[in-house]
Amino acid sequence: VSTQSTAKGKGTRSSTATSSTPAPVAPVSNDILPGRFTEADWLGVVDLEDGEELVGDLIEEMVSGVMKVIHEKHIDEQCIPHSLAWTQNIIEKLVEWQFLAYDPGE
């Protein structure tokens, strides 16, 4: 019986620390550069940068595809002239081997 009365006594007692008002907290500034560049400004720049990066990636993909098509077309156009030049060179070498020029020596 005595333990119950002490527990009730502790429960009804008020603490002076909990009843006092909390000390005012200084406002937290989220400025990146105090007074000049806020967190909202920073997030705006990051969003803009993400948009520019997306556009850059799209342009890079388009240019890469175009360059691939241009390269393939260039190779196709150069295949026949290269083959003809190579064949002409080989025929000239074969004719030179067939009809060796007379070398009188010294």
Side-chain angles (χ1 to χ4, degrees):
V1 174
S2 64
T3 56
Q4 289 176 351
S5 63
T6 55
K8 286 181 183 177
K10 286 182 182 178
T12 58
R13 200 181 334 165
S14 66
S15 172
T16 56
T18 58
S19 65
S20 65
T21 59
V25 178
V28 177
S29 175
N30 290 334
D31 291 350
I32 306 298
L33 295 173
R36 294 185 178 181
F37 199 67
T38 64
E39 187 174 1
D41 294 336
W42 173 257
L43 294 175
V45 168
V46 169
D47 286 342
L48 180 64
E49 188 177 76
D50 288 343
E52 289 175 354
E53 186 175 324
L54 175 66
V55 170
D57 290 344
L58 290 173
I59 289 174
E60 180 181 350
E61 185 178 330
M62 288 173 50
V63 168
S64 176
V66 168
M67 292 301 288
K68 186 175 182 179
V69 169
I70 290 172
H71 177 71
E72 289 173 3
K73 186 168 178 122
H74 174 72
I75 293 298
D76 289 343
E77 288 176 357
Q78 294 300 316
C79 186
I80 292 175
H82 173 73
S83 298
L84 291 176
W86 184 81
T87 305
Q88 180 182 0
N89 188 20
I90 294 297
I91 290 173
E92 287 175 0
K93 286 183 180 182
L94 288 173
V95 169
E96 287 176 5
W97 275 91
Q98 187 70 26
F99 303 104
L100 290 175
Y102 174 70
D103 185 15
E106 287 186 29

